[in-house]
Amino acid sequence: QLHLQESGPGLVKPSETLSLTCTVSGGSISRSRYYWGWIRQPPGKGLEWVGSIYDSGSTYYNPSLRSRVTISVDTSKNQFSLELSSVTTADTAVYYCARPHQIIAARSAFEIWGQGTVVTVSS
Amino acid sequence: EIVLTQSPATLSLSPGERATLSCRASQTVYTYLAWYQQKPGQAPRLLIYEASHRATGIPVRFSGSGSGTDFTLTISSLEPEDFAVYYCQQRSDWPLSFGQGTKLEIK
């Protein structure tokens, strides 16, 4: 059974870089043919897609965040990661990693989600 | 960016009643629309993909319909565990986008 787990600091200072990792267990990222995604949810608000990465490293980012976002994959560790630079309080959110429903499709619904990790931006 | 508008914002119903939730897209998304359920403190759960296909393990009381710009999620007879927030999401174009959510609450 596939399981995704987010990890990283829960508190980040304004102007610094937020770094999160998603560890996948029960299945392999390598040659999975999925576009693995990051989605975030500010407190009390709706969901926002951050970006997605293919098993080979090809990426798509939300234009609203593109200048600050980097998503990478480490197939040897079965992990993919999110970096968001120059954070502000508006980046405070629960960050989820997720596996899409469809293989190969760069755009997809998300079928399997991590539990989410809370990141607070505050000095 | 494709904007998804969900209505109503809040829906108050009783167990056993039928729930009808709406999602309208700012431009056609064909049938590339999904629905999710989210309970407090939990990750979203995929209910419906491609507008009308139930995801694995989803009860038959959940159904989706629509195409183009207008979509509906119907819960035929509400169970106590169905009271939650529901989101729609389109995969027709970049960036992927979600509606703002409909809260289904117990009347």
Side-chain angles (χ1 to χ4, degrees):
Chain A
Q1 183 177 353
L2 195 73
H3 182 73
L4 284 70
Q5 180 70 59
E6 305 89 351
S7 59
L11 181 64
V12 182
K13 289 182 169 56
S15 80
E16 295 189 343
T17 297
L18 177 162
S19 296
L20 298 175
T21 295
C22 182
T23 301
V24 178
S25 57
S28 177
I29 290 179
S30 179
R31 293 193 294 273
S32 66
R33 297 187 294 169
Y34 285 110
Y35 277 86
W36 303 81
W38 286 98
I39 300 100
R40 70 180 185 176
Q41 185 171 35
K45 296 187 177 180
L47 301 161
E48 180 182 33
W49 171 73
V50 176
S52 297
I53 187 165
Y54 197 55
D55 57 13
S56 62
S58 174
T59 53
Y60 290 90
Y61 299 135
N62 193 318
S64 67
L65 301 169
R66 180 174 287 136
S67 63
R68 299 192 292 128
V69 173
T70 302
I71 297 176
S72 58
V73 63
D74 186 339
T75 54
S76 67
K77 294 181 178 179
N78 223 28
Q79 296 174 335
F80 60 105
S81 298
L82 168 69
E83 289 194 339
L84 182 64
S85 63
S86 305
V87 298
T88 70
T89 55
D91 296 310
T92 294
V94 177
Y95 285 76
Y96 295 100
C97 60
R99 194 211 76 181
H101 173 257
Q102 289 153 297
I103 61 171
I104 300 177
R107 299 190 297 266
S108 177
F110 293 98
E111 183 175 27
I112 300 175
W113 296 63
Q115 66 184 28
T117 188
V118 177
V119 178
T120 301
V121 179
S122 176
S123 54
Chain B
E1 175 177 341
I2 295 175
V3 176
L4 299 178
T5 303
Q6 293 187 239
S7 60
T10 303
L11 184 58
S12 300
L13 293 170
S14 300
E17 291 192 295
R18 180 184 187 91
T20 303
L21 287 68
S22 175
C23 177
R24 176 164 290 178
S26 60
Q27 64 191 73
T28 184
V29 298
Y30 307 98
T31 56
Y32 300 134
L33 191 101
W35 289 94
Y36 299 85
Q37 176 193 69
Q38 187 178 34
K39 297 180 180 179
Q42 296 185 15
R45 173 193 183 195
L46 179 65
L47 300 174
I48 302 287
Y49 63 95
E50 310 301 64
S52 62
H53 298 266
R54 271 187 301 276
T56 303
I58 301 304
V60 297
R61 66 181 180 271
F62 291 92
S63 63
S65 63
S67 65
T69 60
D70 291 303
F71 299 88
T72 301
L73 173 70
T74 301
I75 310 172
S76 59
S77 179
L78 285 166
E79 297 287 341
E81 62 267 28
D82 297 337
F83 293 92
V85 179
Y86 292 82
Y87 294 96
C88 56
Q89 179 231 323
Q90 63 83 20
R91 72 172 192 92
S92 177
D93 199 4
W94 298 113
L96 303 180
S97 54
F98 293 85
Q100 83 281 12
T102 289
K103 181 179 181 180
L104 180 55
E105 64 176 26
I106 299 177
K107 187 173 182 180

